[in-house]
Amino acid sequence: MVATDGYRLSLIDRPMKIEIQGLEGGILLPKKGLSELIRLLDEEGPEVWIKMKNNNFILKKDHVVLIMRLLDAEFPDYQQVIPSQTKKHIRMKRSQLLESLKRVSILSSEKTKGVKFHFAEDLLELSSYNPDFGKPKRSFPWTTREKTSPQL
């Protein structure tokens, strides 16, 4: 699954247990419908039923049916932006990254809400900037190992 808001690009790649007819070339879902989809999938319950029909995405869960008209547009070629192979694989403690990211992002500018990642030789430095609070920074070590197979 790939998502973008025009500024950021997010990719998650997970195997599916079954093939859903109509998803082969990818689909574009509207933002408002996607919000409803997320809300429905966050709730506990039985499995969901998904179908593509007549340019519609149909999801059924319990007694709720969600129908979204697919967007008729081309999604940007994200594979040109995200490399298919990398030379190194970075390892760090997830909890340490999340804690540092939370602390630095709290003091980031309301306008950008941005956090800068700077990878030094064996240290990751997270920083942001806010004219009122200055430039908060957090650093922690990371390790690397050679990567021989494609990442994506």
XYZ file of all heavy atoms in Angstrom, residues 12-62:
411
model
N 3.959 0.555 2.635
C 3.981 -0.642 3.473
C 3.724 -1.818 2.543
O 2.838 -1.766 1.690
C 2.960 -0.586 4.637
C 3.134 -1.789 5.531
C 1.550 -0.465 4.138
C 2.421 -1.689 6.865
N 4.525 -2.837 2.680
C 4.449 -3.992 1.800
C 4.217 -5.240 2.637
O 5.092 -5.649 3.401
C 5.758 -4.104 1.011
C 5.666 -5.087 -0.135
O 4.540 -5.475 -0.506
O 6.724 -5.475 -0.658
N 3.026 -5.814 2.540
C 2.675 -7.008 3.299
C 2.029 -8.024 2.346
O 1.237 -7.653 1.481
C 1.659 -6.693 4.403
C 2.149 -5.729 5.443
C 3.054 -6.461 6.432
N 3.353 -5.655 7.570
C 4.429 -4.910 7.712
N 5.314 -4.854 6.761
N 4.652 -4.216 8.801
N 2.329 -9.303 2.531
C 1.673 -10.308 1.683
C 0.198 -10.445 2.040
O -0.189 -10.288 3.197
C 2.436 -11.597 2.008
C 3.083 -11.357 3.320
C 3.290 -9.877 3.460
N -0.618 -10.708 1.025
C -2.049 -10.927 1.238
C -2.322 -12.420 1.172
O -1.681 -13.147 0.409
C -2.862 -10.192 0.175
C -2.813 -8.692 0.334
S -3.747 -7.790 -0.930
C -5.358 -8.491 -0.798
N -3.272 -12.876 1.963
C -3.602 -14.295 1.983
C -4.352 -14.716 0.721
O -4.283 -15.849 0.298
C -4.441 -14.622 3.218
C -3.672 -14.486 4.514
C -4.542 -14.813 5.701
C -3.754 -14.627 6.989
N -4.580 -14.857 8.170
N -5.087 -13.765 0.138
C -5.867 -14.070 -1.063
C -5.698 -12.944 -2.073
O -5.281 -11.834 -1.729
C -7.370 -14.235 -0.740
C -7.921 -12.943 -0.111
C -7.618 -15.422 0.162
C -9.420 -12.879 -0.065
N -6.031 -13.228 -3.310
C -6.020 -12.214 -4.358
C -7.414 -11.601 -4.452
O -8.414 -12.324 -4.437
C -5.649 -12.835 -5.709
C -4.210 -13.295 -5.793
C -3.231 -12.131 -5.824
O -3.537 -11.097 -6.450
O -2.165 -12.257 -5.205
N -7.480 -10.288 -4.542
C -8.762 -9.605 -4.706
C -8.830 -9.119 -6.144
O -7.980 -8.337 -6.583
C -8.907 -8.423 -3.726
C -8.847 -8.932 -2.292
C -10.216 -7.677 -3.985
C -8.829 -7.838 -1.252
N -9.819 -9.592 -6.865
C -9.956 -9.237 -8.272
C -10.188 -7.729 -8.397
O -11.015 -7.155 -7.695
C -11.113 -10.006 -8.894
C -11.170 -9.886 -10.387
C -12.251 -10.772 -10.981
O -13.065 -11.334 -10.274
N -12.239 -10.877 -12.294
N -9.419 -7.073 -9.262
C -9.563 -5.643 -9.479
C -8.447 -4.831 -8.849
O -8.329 -3.644 -9.099
N -7.612 -5.461 -8.011
C -6.523 -4.742 -7.350
C -5.186 -4.871 -8.079
O -4.195 -4.297 -7.641
C -6.334 -5.240 -5.910
C -7.408 -4.892 -4.908
C -7.056 -5.444 -3.541
C -7.606 -3.399 -4.816
N -5.145 -5.615 -9.166
C -3.885 -5.913 -9.834
C -3.100 -4.644 -10.187
O -1.904 -4.562 -9.966
C -4.115 -6.730 -11.115
C -4.772 -8.074 -10.879
C -6.286 -8.004 -10.771
O -6.889 -6.976 -11.152
O -6.877 -8.978 -10.278
N -3.733 -3.661 -10.753
C -3.049 -2.441 -11.176
C -3.051 -1.343 -10.118
O -2.553 -0.260 -10.348
N -3.626 -1.622 -8.962
C -3.719 -0.611 -7.915
C -4.991 0.210 -8.046
O -5.609 0.254 -9.111
N -5.387 0.843 -6.973
C -6.587 1.672 -6.959
C -6.305 2.941 -6.168
O -5.390 2.984 -5.348
C -7.802 0.935 -6.343
C -7.493 0.512 -4.901
C -8.219 -0.241 -7.196
C -8.696 -0.037 -4.155
N -7.096 3.966 -6.416
C -7.012 5.215 -5.649
C -8.320 5.408 -4.903
O -9.387 5.451 -5.503
C -6.773 6.414 -6.578
C -5.383 6.541 -7.166
C -5.337 7.694 -8.166
C -4.369 6.770 -6.080
N -8.208 5.523 -3.567
C -9.380 5.733 -2.732
C -9.427 7.178 -2.265
O -8.390 7.771 -1.964
C -9.334 4.815 -1.503
C -9.326 3.312 -1.783
C -9.132 2.536 -0.493
C -10.614 2.894 -2.458
N -10.624 7.775 -2.167
C -10.726 9.153 -1.675
C -10.386 9.239 -0.186
O -10.610 8.297 0.577
C -12.190 9.524 -1.923
C -12.906 8.231 -2.037
C -11.916 7.217 -2.536
N -9.818 10.382 0.216
C -9.353 10.569 1.594
C -10.485 10.384 2.613
O -10.313 9.722 3.624
C -8.737 11.961 1.725
C -8.111 12.228 3.064
C -7.447 13.587 3.099
C -6.822 13.852 4.447
N -6.153 15.143 4.486
N -11.644 10.954 2.347
C -12.754 10.856 3.295
C -13.217 9.404 3.456
O -13.461 8.930 4.560
C -13.917 11.739 2.833
C -15.019 11.865 3.844
C -16.052 12.886 3.409
C -17.121 13.044 4.464
N -18.125 14.028 4.079
N -13.306 8.690 2.358
C -13.696 7.289 2.416
C -12.656 6.438 3.119
O -12.981 5.500 3.848
N -11.383 6.770 2.913
C -10.299 6.047 3.569
C -10.354 6.237 5.081
O -10.095 5.310 5.838
C -8.959 6.516 3.013
C -7.755 5.650 3.302
C -7.981 4.218 2.883
C -6.526 6.213 2.619
N -10.735 7.436 5.523
C -10.895 7.685 6.965
C -11.977 6.786 7.557
O -11.823 6.240 8.650
C -11.245 9.152 7.218
O -10.200 9.986 6.807
N -13.085 6.626 6.839
C -14.163 5.744 7.298
C -13.712 4.292 7.305
O -14.020 3.536 8.225
C -15.401 5.891 6.405
C -16.218 7.115 6.690
C -16.771 7.106 8.110
O -17.361 6.091 8.542
O -16.612 8.118 8.806
N -12.948 3.922 6.281
C -12.425 2.563 6.199
C -11.525 2.247 7.398
O -11.650 1.189 8.026
C -11.650 2.391 4.886
C -10.975 1.056 4.652
C -12.001 -0.051 4.516
C -10.100 1.125 3.415
N -10.652 3.175 7.741
C -9.755 2.998 8.886
C -10.565 2.852 10.173
O -10.293 1.996 11.008
C -8.761 4.162 8.982
C -7.764 4.076 7.823
C -8.036 4.170 10.319
C -6.917 5.318 7.652
N -11.594 3.697 10.328
C -12.441 3.631 11.523
C -13.119 2.265 11.640
O -13.150 1.658 12.712
C -13.486 4.742 11.486
C -14.308 4.857 12.760
C -15.380 5.914 12.657
N -16.366 5.642 11.625
C -17.373 4.756 11.741
N -17.509 4.049 12.839
N -18.217 4.573 10.763
N -13.625 1.752 10.529
C -14.280 0.441 10.557
C -13.296 -0.685 10.869
O -13.614 -1.617 11.601
C -14.951 0.149 9.203
C -16.270 0.838 8.934
C -16.695 0.617 7.492
C -17.338 0.326 9.888
N -12.101 -0.604 10.312
C -11.115 -1.664 10.519
C -10.494 -1.615 11.907
O -9.958 -2.625 12.374
C -10.035 -1.603 9.438
C -10.524 -1.901 8.020
C -9.399 -1.719 7.022
C -11.121 -3.291 7.916
N -10.561 -0.462 12.569
C -10.030 -0.351 13.933
C -10.929 -1.045 14.949
O -10.475 -1.447 16.013
C -9.858 1.119 14.335
C -8.556 1.705 13.838
O -7.669 0.929 13.430
O -8.425 2.942 13.854
N -12.206 -1.167 14.629
C -13.149 -1.800 15.549
C -12.958 -3.317 15.533
O -12.677 -3.908 14.496
C -14.594 -1.471 15.137
C -14.917 0.013 15.208
C -16.279 0.329 14.595
O -16.955 -0.599 14.094
O -16.637 1.516 14.614
N -13.104 -3.938 16.706
C -13.016 -5.400 16.803
C -14.210 -6.010 16.089
O -15.278 -5.426 16.018
C -13.013 -5.834 18.276
C -11.762 -5.439 19.020
C -10.528 -6.169 18.512
O -10.619 -7.362 18.162
O -9.474 -5.526 18.454
N -14.022 -7.192 15.585
C -15.134 -7.875 14.940
C -14.641 -8.976 14.030
O -13.450 -9.255 13.949
N -15.587 -9.594 13.325
C -15.218 -10.696 12.440
C -14.463 -10.193 11.212
O -14.197 -9.006 11.071
C -16.570 -11.305 12.064
C -17.524 -10.171 12.159
C -17.013 -9.308 13.281
N -14.162 -11.105 10.339
C -13.441 -10.765 9.116
C -14.258 -9.802 8.262
O -15.465 -9.670 8.425
C -13.155 -12.040 8.323
C -12.179 -12.960 9.023
C -11.872 -14.199 8.199
O -12.480 -14.398 7.126
O -11.026 -14.962 8.647
N -13.568 -9.147 7.333
C -14.229 -8.235 6.417
C -14.307 -8.859 5.033
O -13.531 -9.742 4.678
C -13.496 -6.872 6.340
C -13.527 -6.174 7.666
C -12.080 -7.040 5.845
N -15.246 -8.384 4.267
C -15.462 -8.838 2.906
C -15.160 -7.651 2.000
O -15.684 -6.554 2.213
C -16.914 -9.290 2.796
C -17.368 -9.748 1.449
C -17.205 -10.987 0.919
C -18.077 -8.983 0.484
N -17.773 -11.038 -0.329
C -18.314 -9.811 -0.622
C -18.529 -7.661 0.446
C -18.987 -9.367 -1.761
C -19.194 -7.218 -0.681
C -19.421 -8.068 -1.771
N -14.292 -7.838 1.001
C -13.901 -6.749 0.096
C -14.166 -7.177 -1.338
O -13.865 -8.310 -1.729
C -12.407 -6.390 0.256
C -12.133 -5.854 1.657
C -11.989 -5.371 -0.798
C -10.668 -5.596 1.936
N -14.719 -6.246 -2.121
C -15.004 -6.526 -3.526
C -14.828 -5.253 -4.344
O -15.065 -4.151 -3.846
C -16.432 -7.049 -3.674
C -16.773 -7.475 -5.080
C -18.132 -8.124 -5.146
C -18.379 -8.607 -6.561
N -19.616 -9.340 -6.676
N -14.408 -5.422 -5.585
C -14.314 -4.318 -6.536
C -15.398 -4.556 -7.587
O -15.469 -5.646 -8.160
C -12.944 -4.316 -7.220
C -11.782 -4.307 -6.260
S -11.662 -2.794 -5.347
C -11.337 -1.680 -6.649
N -16.243 -3.535 -7.828
C -17.310 -3.705 -8.819
C -17.719 -2.349 -9.379
O -17.974 -1.411 -8.614
C -18.518 -4.389 -8.178
C -19.615 -4.722 -9.156
C -20.725 -5.499 -8.490
C -21.801 -5.836 -9.496
N -22.901 -6.552 -8.876
N -17.763 -2.251 -10.687
C -18.212 -1.032 -11.381
C -17.533 0.228 -10.855
O -18.190 1.205 -10.502
C -19.730 -0.873 -11.278
C -20.468 -2.019 -11.921
O -19.967 -2.643 -12.839
N -21.646 -2.324 -11.411
N -16.218 0.222 -10.771
C -15.441 1.380 -10.314
C -15.752 1.756 -8.857
O -15.609 2.902 -8.465
C -15.647 2.588 -11.240
C -14.484 3.536 -11.180
O -13.336 3.135 -11.006
N -14.766 4.813 -11.311
N -16.199 0.780 -8.074
C -16.481 0.982 -6.650
C -15.660 0.006 -5.809
O -15.431 -1.131 -6.207
C -17.963 0.765 -6.329
C -18.825 1.859 -6.875
O -18.525 3.034 -6.714
N -19.902 1.480 -7.549
N -15.254 0.457 -4.646
C -14.606 -0.374 -3.635
C -15.680 -0.663 -2.601
O -16.268 0.263 -2.035
C -13.430 0.395 -3.008
C -12.749 -0.335 -1.899
C -11.684 -1.177 -2.167
C -13.155 -0.173 -0.582
C -11.027 -1.852 -1.141
C -12.513 -0.842 0.448
C -11.449 -1.689 0.163
N -15.961 -1.919 -2.349
C -17.034 -2.303 -1.436
C -16.442 -3.106 -0.280
O -15.716 -4.069 -0.502
C -18.112 -3.146 -2.155
C -18.634 -2.387 -3.377
C -19.236 -3.518 -1.198
C -19.409 -3.253 -4.343
N -16.738 -2.684 0.934
C -16.287 -3.389 2.130
C -17.512 -3.677 2.988
O -18.343 -2.793 3.207
C -15.290 -2.542 2.922
C -14.813 -3.188 4.216
C -13.304 -3.181 4.269
C -15.381 -2.490 5.425
N -17.599 -4.914 3.467
C -18.700 -5.296 4.350
C -18.097 -5.872 5.619
O -17.224 -6.730 5.582
C -19.600 -6.331 3.682
C -20.796 -6.704 4.521
C -21.701 -7.680 3.803
C -22.870 -8.031 4.701
N -23.712 -9.058 4.104
N -18.577 -5.377 6.749
C -18.151 -5.868 8.061
C -19.372 -5.865 8.967
O -20.016 -4.830 9.144
C -17.062 -4.963 8.642
C -16.549 -5.431 9.981
C -15.446 -4.539 10.493
C -15.001 -5.007 11.847
N -14.008 -4.135 12.426
N -19.655 -6.997 9.537
C -20.873 -7.160 10.338
C -22.072 -6.727 9.498
O -22.284 -7.230 8.425
C -20.793 -6.366 11.644
C -19.730 -6.899 12.601
O -19.471 -8.101 12.569
O -19.161 -6.090 13.343
